[in-house]
Amino acid sequence: MIKIQIRCIDQNIKQVRVSGHAGGRAGEDVVCAAVSAVTQTALTGLLHYGAEQVKWEMKKGILYIEIKDAGTDKRPDFSVILNTMYLGLRQIEREHPDRVRIRLTSCSFTSR
C-alpha cells in the first residue's frame, strides 16, 4: 500500500510524505510508477521555481516534501503545483483504492 500524507496550513499544502509500495514487482508496477511520476514532477517544479523554500528528501520507498512558507500570497505557483499534484494522486487513489491511500490533515479540498 502506498500511503500519502498531506498536511495543510491555512488551506495551503505544507507537507507531503509518500511511503510504501503498491505491491507489484519492483520496477514493473504501474501504480508505483504513476505516483512517483506525479510526485517527482511536482517536486521538480517546486525546485525550479523556488528551491530555497523547499525542504525535501527522497530515499527508497519514501518521498518527503516540506514548503518552508506555504502562503499562497507569497508562492501562488507553489499552490498550483501542489494542488495539481493532489488532483493527480487523488485520481490514482480512485482507480486503485486498494493500493493507494491519501490522508489529509487540516486540508479541505472541494475535489475530495
Side-chain angles (χ1 to χ4, degrees), residues 65-102:
I65 301 169
E66 181 177 344
I67 307 305
K68 294 177 185 174
D69 184 359
T72 55
D73 56 332
K74 300 195 189 253
R75 294 308 314 211
D77 46 352
F78 276 24
S79 211
V80 170
I81 291 168
L82 291 165
N83 289 340
T84 301
M85 178 199 68
Y86 167 73
L87 293 172
L89 293 171
R90 179 66 179 120
Q91 186 60 38
I92 296 167
E93 181 189 42
R94 283 185 181 128
E95 293 174 13
H96 304 279
D98 56 327
R99 300 176 74 195
V100 177
R101 184 69 29 112
I102 299 173

Side-chain angles (χ1 to χ4, degrees), residues 8-64:
C8 297
I9 294 177
D10 297 328
Q11 300 312 306
N12 297 300
I13 295 174
K14 170 75 174 166
Q15 293 176 338
V16 178
R17 185 176 191 280
V18 182
S19 62
H21 297 282
R25 291 175 129 196
E28 297 179 9
D29 191 301
V30 295
V31 176
C32 263
V35 169
S36 292
V38 169
T39 55
Q40 290 179 34
T41 298
L43 176 59
T44 299
L46 295 169
L47 293 173
H48 177 80
Y49 291 108
E52 69 284 350
Q53 291 181 281
V54 181
K55 177 182 174 184
W56 66 281
E57 180 179 2
M58 190 177 342
K59 55 186 176 185
K60 187 173 177 134
I62 296 175
L63 173 63
Y64 175 78

